[in-house]
Amino acid sequence: MQTDLRGRDMITTQDFTDDEISTIFDVAFDLKRKRAVGEPHALLRDKVLAMLFFFSSTRTRISFEAGMAQLGGHAQFIDSRTTQVKHGDTAKELGAIIGRYCDGIAIRQVDWGFGNQFIREIAEASRSPVLNMQCEIYHPFQILADAMTIIENFGRDLRGKTINVSWAYASSYQKPMSVPQSLILLMTRFGMNVRLTRPPEFKLMPDIVEQAKENTKKSGGSFEILDDFDAGFKDADIVIPKSWGAMLTTTDEEESARIASKYTNWITDEQRMALAKDHAIYMHPLPADRNVEVTDAVIDGPHSRVWDQAENRLHAQKAVMALTMR
Ligand code: CP
């Protein structure tokens, strides 16, 4: 079992072996238990995490900041608008300099065609680990928390379980595709039957889809792509319907919103949930467009696990920080 993750960057779960992912879950569940019983776990005393945000956040910011405090360290919240990035600080400079001040650098930069490369350039220059708090391609900490939530409901052996990663309509903004992409990448490693359900204009990146297919070959699971919203729910154990933008069809936000408006009936309601298994769980990384993306009855109903899912962000992130930043 591989337990030494010191100094490692977390940009995508694909960079971690099954053994290493398993170690992250072990530590995350242990830290969740420790917090539940009030057992001190100051594993990162005197360590500092710089959190650099180029996009807004509720859960990610608060859970990383709380997590560092609970681990005995400190997290700096840095709004990119308050930095000198606009005046010339490059990714290389940020990595080299912040990496000397701090023991970890966490970054959220979701600009299409830019964010991931920017984070990788910072990582290349940094002597401290870099943690991806979401780019336009990946959202690894969300998906680790999602996996913890699924394990809590179905156990560690997820072989044969059916998960529906689905597009849903939302009107608030064109959300990144990093959540569904990271979901299909991780869930295909557990021997699950993974469904990606989306309208034809809302394709994911072909390279990511190929990696997901490769994962199923090794794990013994299956991967299929559907374009029928109802079919995605049929007999599923886990459903994660959420919106994302049509970036691979158009990078024009207004055009993407116009395309999305053809699919306003892609809303998760009780009728859709009834198509899934009786014990099926509903998940959403949040924020959700209530009564547009999902009805109140579903997100607040008996199938919903969205609070546990949001809580597990804290434990998954603490695990990765404790393993990589010590
Ligand atoms: N799910 C998630 O990343 O939430 P925030 O955007 O609020 O951080």
Side-chain angles (χ1 to χ4, degrees):
M1 181 161 187
Q2 174 54 272
T3 58
D4 182 6
L5 302 183
R6 266 178 302 188
R8 294 275 296 277
D9 302 320
M10 171 61 86
I11 294 175
T12 163
T13 52
Q14 285 290 94
D15 293 338
F16 289 76
T17 65
D18 291 350
D19 242 18
E20 291 167 343
I21 296 285
S22 188
T23 296
I24 292 169
F25 291 142
D26 287 346
V27 175
F29 284 118
D30 184 46
L31 292 176
K32 185 168 187 175
R33 183 194 62 76
K34 283 187 162 72
R35 180 163 161 74
V37 298
E39 196 175 312
H41 48 280
L43 304 170
L44 294 180
R45 199 185 296 280
D46 301 329
K47 303 273 184 175
V48 179
L49 176 73
M51 303 189 304
L52 193 46
F53 281 91
F54 291 82
F55 192 76
S56 54
S57 163
T58 303
R59 282 145 290 273
T60 304
R61 175 193 173 172
I62 296 169
S63 54
F64 265 100
E65 202 163 322
M68 269 308 281
Q70 291 160 19
L71 290 168
H74 172 70
Q76 299 171 327
F77 170 68
I78 305 158
D79 180 333
S80 65
R81 289 169 301 183
T82 67
T83 68
Q84 297 281 36
V85 169
K86 272 207 170 142
H87 300 152
D89 277 338
T90 63
K92 187 174 178 182
E93 284 159 9
L94 292 171
I97 295 165
I98 303 174
R100 291 181 182 213
Y101 297 148
C102 299
D103 305 284
I105 311 176
I107 308 159
R108 171 170 282 194
Q109 170 39 283
V110 298
D111 290 352
W112 183 247
F114 178 80
N116 184 263
Q117 185 59 29
F118 180 74
I119 292 172
R120 288 190 187 280
E121 283 173 24
I122 291 178
E124 183 69 29
S126 172
R127 60 167 67 154
S128 300
V130 165
L131 309 178
N132 179 3
M133 295 195 293
Q134 189 178 20
C135 65
E136 81 280 28
I137 303 177
Y138 307 112
H139 196 353
F141 292 100
Q142 179 63 56
I143 271 51
L144 290 169
D146 295 354
M148 282 182 72
T149 312
I150 293 168
I151 289 168
E152 286 171 341
N153 283 272
F154 295 101
R156 214 59 187 242
D157 183 359
L158 295 170
R159 284 175 296 180
K161 294 282 181 276
T162 298
I163 180 170
N164 179 35
V165 177
S166 178
W167 188 86
Y169 176 69
S171 52
S172 56
Y173 72 106
Q174 299 306 298
K175 303 180 185 191
M177 59 176 68
S178 45
V179 167
Q181 295 204 145
S182 290
L183 274 169
I184 63 168
L185 286 176
L186 189 59
M187 299 307 154
T188 47
R189 292 172 65 176
F190 300 142
M192 301 175 83
N193 302 319
V194 179
R195 283 180 195 154
L196 170 64
T197 310
R198 82 300 179 264
E201 299 92 335
F202 291 86
K203 291 185 172 62
L204 299 184
M205 297 168 83
D207 170 50
I208 299 291
V209 169
E210 277 315 304
Q211 289 181 58
K213 286 180 185 165
E214 280 303 309
N215 287 347
T216 60
K217 284 186 197 156
K218 291 178 201 145
S219 75
S222 66
F223 178 71
E224 60 179 337
I225 300 179
L226 309 177
D227 58 12
D228 178 328
F229 192 54
D230 287 354
F233 282 83
K234 193 155 175 15
D235 295 327
D237 297 285
I238 302 128
V239 296
I240 312 189
K242 77 166 301 290
S243 187
W244 64 84
M247 288 83 159
L248 291 178
T249 302
T250 174
T251 50
D252 183 290
E253 288 240 344
E254 282 179 19
E255 175 67 9
S256 180
R258 259 195 307 278
I259 295 168
S261 68
K262 292 197 292 184
Y263 303 104
T264 54
N265 61 339
W266 285 50
I267 174 171
T268 306
D269 56 16
E270 287 169 297
Q271 278 176 305
R272 261 70 186 245
M273 284 306 300
L275 298 171
K277 291 201 176 122
D278 290 344
H279 65 228
I281 62 170
Y282 168 85
M283 295 170 62
H284 191 295
L286 305 177
D289 285 24
R290 277 179 174 255
N291 300 308
V292 176
E293 215 173 344
V294 53
T295 62
D296 285 341
V298 170
I299 199 167
D300 296 327
H303 297 282
S304 178
R305 297 294 181 273
V306 295
W307 308 142
D308 292 341
Q309 187 184 359
E311 179 189 334
N312 284 334
R313 291 291 304 273
L314 176 72
H315 311 300
Q317 290 157 196
K318 282 168 71 177
V320 174
M321 289 191 290
L323 286 160
T324 61
M325 288 171 58
R326 71 195 169 86

